[in-house]
Amino acid sequence: MAEASGSFEVTAFEPVETEQREGAVFGRVRIAKTFTGGLSGRGEVRMLSVGDASGGPASYVAVEHVTGELDGRKGSFVLQHAAWDATGVTIRVVPGTGAGELAGITGEFRLSVDASGAHTFVLAYELG
């Protein structure tokens, strides 16, 4: 597997709707990101989340369309996010979504956030 690493910045966080239910708060959000490093380009995220009534840690699912350049190859692909409370997140490339020079891509995206709030990533991938 090849690996690309770098950082990203959340450039927009737009709540679309919020719904309060007994014991839970549901939300739908649009997010925009800018990637730099081995992956450079932008990400457009559609996220559904739920938190407890007090605003505690949210679980979420999301899909993210990434467009840009990965280690010199131009194209796009989709990431699927799934997180359960604050214990971690799983983010994988959705098979069959690669386009352009990234057709056939598979892999896993790992992210980290440091104490200052800076976001870094490692994308372990294969091109089919």
Side-chain angles (χ1 to χ4, degrees):
M1 280 209 148
E3 286 193 350
S5 61
S7 62
F8 69 90
E9 179 180 345
V10 174
T11 57
F13 188 91
E14 176 188 335
V16 175
E17 70 179 316
T18 302
E19 183 179 347
Q20 183 92 31
R21 294 282 184 109
E22 185 175 338
V25 178
F26 292 86
R28 185 165 59 103
V29 179
R30 290 186 183 129
I31 302 168
K33 299 176 182 176
T34 301
F35 295 95
T36 56
L39 170 63
S40 61
R42 60 189 173 88
E44 296 178 20
V45 182
R46 301 299 183 263
M47 180 177 79
L48 298 173
S49 66
V50 63
D52 66 28
S54 68
S59 292
Y60 79 92
V61 293
V63 290
E64 177 174 2
H65 187 251
V66 177
T67 305
E69 192 170 320
L70 174 61
D71 288 336
R73 295 177 183 91
K74 294 182 180 181
S76 63
F77 56 91
V78 174
L79 295 171
Q80 178 182 356
H81 301 234
W84 184 256
D85 62 42
T87 61
V89 63
T90 300
I91 306 171
R92 293 193 175 107
V93 176
V94 177
T97 62
E101 295 175 319
L102 300 177
I105 189 170
T106 59
E108 187 169 323
F109 185 96
R110 296 182 305 273
L111 67 84
S112 299
V113 182
D114 70 15
S116 71
H119 295 77
T120 58
F121 69 87
V122 175
L123 175 60
Y125 69 94
E126 290 183 357
L127 288 171

